[in-house]
Amino acid sequence: FHNSFPRLSRFSLGSKIDTLFSDMMEDLFLARYASGERKLTFLHTAGAKLDLLKFFTQVAWEIKALDHKKFSALSLPLNEIGKMLGGWQKQLQIHQPTP
């Protein structure tokens, strides 16, 4: 939806959202191949970026850079990603409890 953002928001908020999404995907990819404590670190970082992504998406909706339909189309999968990420973190913490 980056191209549908108003011009003033496209290169600031829209780019921020795109960058956060790419960075989060990178952290998830790295977590997939990391081991032990590094995996959990990547997952925590991805979770923080996901929360920022949700926040900035909501800001975009509130300033009307995203309409309600596009906001829903983004927020529902982001919430699902959050559930999956939380489950992955919980599963790792059960198998590798932190001291």
Side-chain angles (χ1 to χ4, degrees):
F1 299 124
H2 185 262
N3 290 333
S4 66
F5 269 60
R7 185 170 174 80
L8 289 174
S9 300
R10 186 178 311 148
F11 300 107
S12 55
L13 187 58
S15 292
K16 180 71 172 175
I17 290 170
D18 275 353
T19 301
L20 279 169
F21 181 75
S22 297
D23 290 348
M24 181 191 68
M25 294 301 293
E26 181 181 348
D27 287 333
L28 291 172
F29 181 82
L30 293 171
R32 171 69 176 96
Y33 294 101
S35 60
E37 189 62 35
R38 290 193 62 217
K39 183 178 294 235
L40 203 50
T41 301
F42 282 124
L43 291 177
H44 284 301
T45 304
K49 288 178 184 170
L50 178 63
D51 288 342
L52 282 169
L53 185 57
K54 288 178 186 179
F55 172 75
F56 285 120
T57 303
Q58 185 169 354
V59 169
W61 175 70
E62 288 177 2
I63 65 169
K64 305 212 183 322
L66 279 176
D67 62 29
H68 186 70
K69 191 174 186 179
K70 290 176 183 168
F71 176 71
S72 293
L74 288 172
S75 62
L76 292 174
L78 290 178
N79 286 332
E80 194 63 32
I81 291 169
K83 290 176 188 176
M84 293 168 68
L85 184 57
W88 193 4
Q89 288 175 341
K90 187 180 279 189
Q91 183 255 343
L92 280 175
Q93 288 173 341
I94 289 171
H95 287 32
Q96 294 176 302
T98 54

